[in-house]
Amino acid sequence: MAPRTHDTGPQRRHTRTPGTDAESRPDPGSCPAGEPRPAAEPRPAAESRPAAESRPALESRPDPDGAAEAAPGGTADGRTAAGGAGPDPAAERGAVVRRFREAARRARGPATCALLLAVALSAGALAVGSVRESGGGTAVAASAASAADPGVLTGDDLDTRISGLQNHLRAQPRDAASWATLGLAYVEQARTQGDPSRYPQAEQALRRALTLRPGDDAALAGRAALAAARHDFTGALADADRALARNPYSERALCSRIDALVELGRYAEAARAADTADARRPGIPVFTRYAYVLELRGDVTGARRVLEQALSSATGRGDRAYVAEQLGRLASGQGDHRGALRYFALALAADDTYLPALEGRARARAALGERKAAVHDLELVVGRAPLPGPLVALGELYEAGGEQEKAREQYALVDAWAALARANGVDADLDTALAAADHGDRAAALRAARAEWARRQTVHTADALAWALHVNGRDAEALPYARRAGATGYRNASFLYHRGVIELATGHGSEGLASLTAALKLNAGFSPLGARAARSALEASR
């Protein structure tokens, strides 16, 4: 595979939610950064794209402060008076609020405030539903004309553009293309702002688009992105294939297909899908996925080369921030934390609000022993997007520094997030398994890991199941899964650490010590607690 970074026009950013779902590099729930048609890609008549492919791009950096908006037929907070889909409103609302209150009693920091807002918004969305075709509500100051424009979602302020779409749809409620765009916008907003309550709204908007225009490729591609965001990767693959049957050049669908195959553990098919996407729609959204497929196969050099080529071709601030962050993540995962900091600095210079880069900088600083700076960065991240990954990372830094109560607060908020996510149709089992195995209910971690493994057999679910079995004292059962986690050649220090601990527990002493040594050699700062435990085990063996 050799991505063609030389023959594409400017692309917009494909962002990745800061979070812990280790499976996602890049985030499967996100939409491609944009779908401009490069002038250098003339197609024969037999392969011409359907007119419906002229859809708005959907990539924007998060607006940490948020912005109130009114859905068509709704109120200024973006909720509506009737309708909606998903779980039973009263039951789910009560369950989420009860879970959050329990966590909130123990936590009072910025992450609590952000999650409280998300829970409140989620409860409202679940209670009153999502968008509908027409009705009253409070209007917002946005241009209806610009809302209908295909480029409406290409700017920096996603909230403003959502408001514009909502205004436009009040005037033109049968505009299928704008309903599809609004659905994708809600998916993006959920990812970038850590608000899963937008997923039911996205679902209803996309359903409306398909009702008005059955088989619309943009709406099908949006539904694939929504399914992936909810971790329904089988559904994402099915919808991506439906969209591609209508429009083989849909960038969103091509990218969602790669994501789904990766997340289902079908890596050879994912590689072929990346080849196809590169041939049809080369650009940064495809290149970043291409790089991740290479990384999963152990080809870190190839992945870095692809990302460096993508960075050299990036023209917009969003593109530069996204690709530089991906390069920083790749460097950090291989133990080059100084190099990673340089890439994160490039990303933040392009977009100083880009949370994945801020989270990456925090992790690199922690690995280099700069604990105070790392804590500061992670506190900023969780204050804006209280997601499992940064919450656990911050908790472990607190714990490593002896601040046990602060650490427990972060871990409790992970449970609150999981309840919120599930209430909005997200499969949170992998997140639950990873966090609970070390910092929560170990039996729950094993249940979640088994459930996730039954749905998708990947290197990440294999590692999660192995570790959950280990913490429940079932090391003999865990060992095959720990070994399977490294079967593709993927180089991950946490995986090696888990495997080493399990090998030692099953009497494979030399193999276990070799795995722990390899983990620290690959990335000596992979985890403040795990790295310390690995060093202690090696010292005890001497």
Side-chain angles (χ1 to χ4, degrees), residues 72-101:
T75 62
D77 67 354
R79 273 64 190 173
T80 59
D88 175 71
E92 293 293 340
R93 179 184 180 184
V96 170
V97 172
R98 283 194 299 273
R99 291 291 297 277
F100 178 74
R101 283 174 178 165

Side-chain angles (χ1 to χ4, degrees), residues 53-64:
E53 175 60 22
S54 181
R55 293 292 181 259
L58 178 57
E59 281 300 328
S60 174
R61 73 174 180 234
D63 174 6

Side-chain angles (χ1 to χ4, degrees), residues 106-158:
R106 297 191 296 267
R108 294 292 184 268
T112 305
C113 298
L115 190 54
L116 177 57
L117 174 62
V119 170
L121 294 175
S122 176
L126 288 166
V128 303
S130 275
V131 294
R132 53 181 194 180
E133 182 173 314
S134 62
T138 304
V140 292
S143 165
S146 68
D149 187 85
V152 68
L153 296 173
T154 63
D156 290 338
D157 190 347
L158 180 62

Side-chain angles (χ1 to χ4, degrees), residues 485-539:
T488 67
Y490 181 48
R491 302 178 65 199
N492 184 297
S494 292
F495 288 13
L496 287 167
Y497 164 65
H498 292 162
R499 175 173 172 168
V501 170
I502 292 166
E503 285 171 335
L504 289 177
T506 53
H508 298 80
S510 59
E511 294 95 329
L513 295 175
S515 294
L516 294 178
T517 300
L520 293 172
K521 182 178 180 180
L522 176 61
N523 182 3
F526 69 89
S527 159
L529 302 180
R532 184 169 65 185
R535 285 191 292 270
S536 296
L538 289 172
E539 289 169 4

Side-chain angles (χ1 to χ4, degrees), residues 47-50 243-250 254 276 280-281:
E47 293 185 286
S48 62
R49 300 182 195 121
L244 290 169
R246 294 267 179 171
N247 177 8
Y249 296 97
S250 168
L254 288 165
T276 299
R280 293 179 184 174
R281 292 301 301 271

